[in-house]
């Protein structure tokens, strides 16, 4: 087992249960295609897909800027693909990103960074990217984006409120 600092990107489908209930085959077909596209983008941004079970997607990056660029590219590509679907059939992801120490064991990553990225994702609106305060504080290079401070949020199983920023 090894420790390292990583930027974790956690994505989850908004309204997944509704989509599955309405048309399981179409939802699974679309989700499978979207995850393949997301995997290609993660690799393009020098990241690594850690897990893609169910409607969730977890990737790790060496830097926060790579994770943010990837998250924005994911949302842009997903938006383009969703534009061809009826509004009720669109598979929209929320993306949360955090930076922190992770434990790597058998190819998987564990730690507060993963948990925080998942909680930040739950705060994000469908089609958007949000980052935790630690990621914002440790930006490795300036990016040509704006950050909107969304305040502090109390979240499940995290003992302190999280500062959250939307990437615009």
């Amino acid at each position: 087992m090894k420790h390292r600092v990583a930027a974790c990107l956690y994505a989850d489908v908004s309204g997944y249960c509704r989509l599955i209930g309405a048309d399981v085959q179409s939802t699974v077909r679309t989700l499978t295609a979207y995850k393949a596209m997301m995997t290609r983008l993660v690799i393009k941004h020098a990241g690594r897909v850690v897990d893609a079970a169910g409607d969730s997607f977890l990737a790790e990056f060496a830097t926060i800027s790579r994770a943010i660029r990837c998250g924005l590219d994911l949302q842009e590509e997903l938006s383009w693909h969703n534009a061809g679907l009826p509004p009720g059939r669109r598979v929209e992801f929320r993306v949360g990103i955090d930076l922190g120490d992770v434990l790597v064991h058998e190819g998987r990553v564990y730690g507060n960074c993963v948990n925080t990225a998942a909680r930040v994702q739950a705060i994000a609106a469908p089609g958007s990217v949000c980052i935790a305060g630690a990621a914002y504080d440790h930006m490795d290079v300036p990016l040509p984006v704006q950050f909107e401070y969304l305040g502090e949020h109390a979240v499940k199983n995290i003992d302190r409120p999280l500062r959250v920023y939307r990437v615009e």
Side-chain angles (χ1 to χ4, degrees), residues 27-40:
T27 300
V28 170
R29 189 171 30 256
T30 301
L31 183 59
T32 300
Y34 284 10
K35 284 186 175 182
M37 178 271 301
M38 293 165 76
T39 298
R40 286 191 301 275

Side-chain angles (χ1 to χ4, degrees), residues 1-160:
M1 290 190 260
K2 297 186 323 186
H3 282 271
R4 68 173 169 237
V5 174
C8 294
L9 180 151
Y10 189 93
D12 194 69
V13 175
S14 174
Y16 180 70
C17 290
R18 176 190 54 77
L19 290 164
I20 287 290
D23 186 345
V24 67
Q25 288 182 343
S26 178
T27 300
V28 170
R29 189 171 30 256
T30 301
L31 183 59
T32 300
Y34 284 10
K35 284 186 175 182
M37 178 271 301
M38 293 165 76
T39 298
R40 286 191 301 275
L41 285 173
V42 166
I43 293 167
K44 174 185 168 190
H45 287 279
R48 180 179 76 89
V49 175
V50 175
D51 196 8
D55 67 324
S56 66
F57 188 87
L58 175 63
E60 70 164 331
F61 299 84
T63 67
I64 192 64
S65 61
R66 287 181 180 166
I68 291 171
R69 285 184 181 119
C70 183
L72 292 172
D73 282 357
L74 289 175
Q75 293 297 27
E76 183 177 335
E77 187 81 14
L78 289 166
S79 175
W80 186 83
H81 286 288
N82 275 324
L85 297 174
R89 297 300 316 143
R90 293 178 180 161
V91 177
E92 297 179 299
F93 282 82
R94 297 179 304 248
V95 173
I97 298 172
D98 192 24
L99 178 73
D101 186 55
V102 295
L103 174 70
V104 182
H105 179 64
E106 296 180 357
R108 299 184 55 92
V109 295
Y110 301 90
N112 286 335
C113 177
V114 176
N115 299 334
T116 302
R119 298 300 183 242
V120 169
Q121 167 275 140
I123 295 165
S128 72
V129 176
C130 287
I131 66 171
Y136 181 82
D137 293 343
H138 295 94
M139 193 73 57
D140 54 305
V141 296
L143 295 173
V145 298
Q146 299 293 317
F147 296 92
E148 178 187 358
Y149 180 59
L150 300 180
E152 290 189 351
H153 295 262
V155 297
K156 181 175 129 183
N157 294 328
I158 306 278
D159 59 355
R160 59 183 171 27

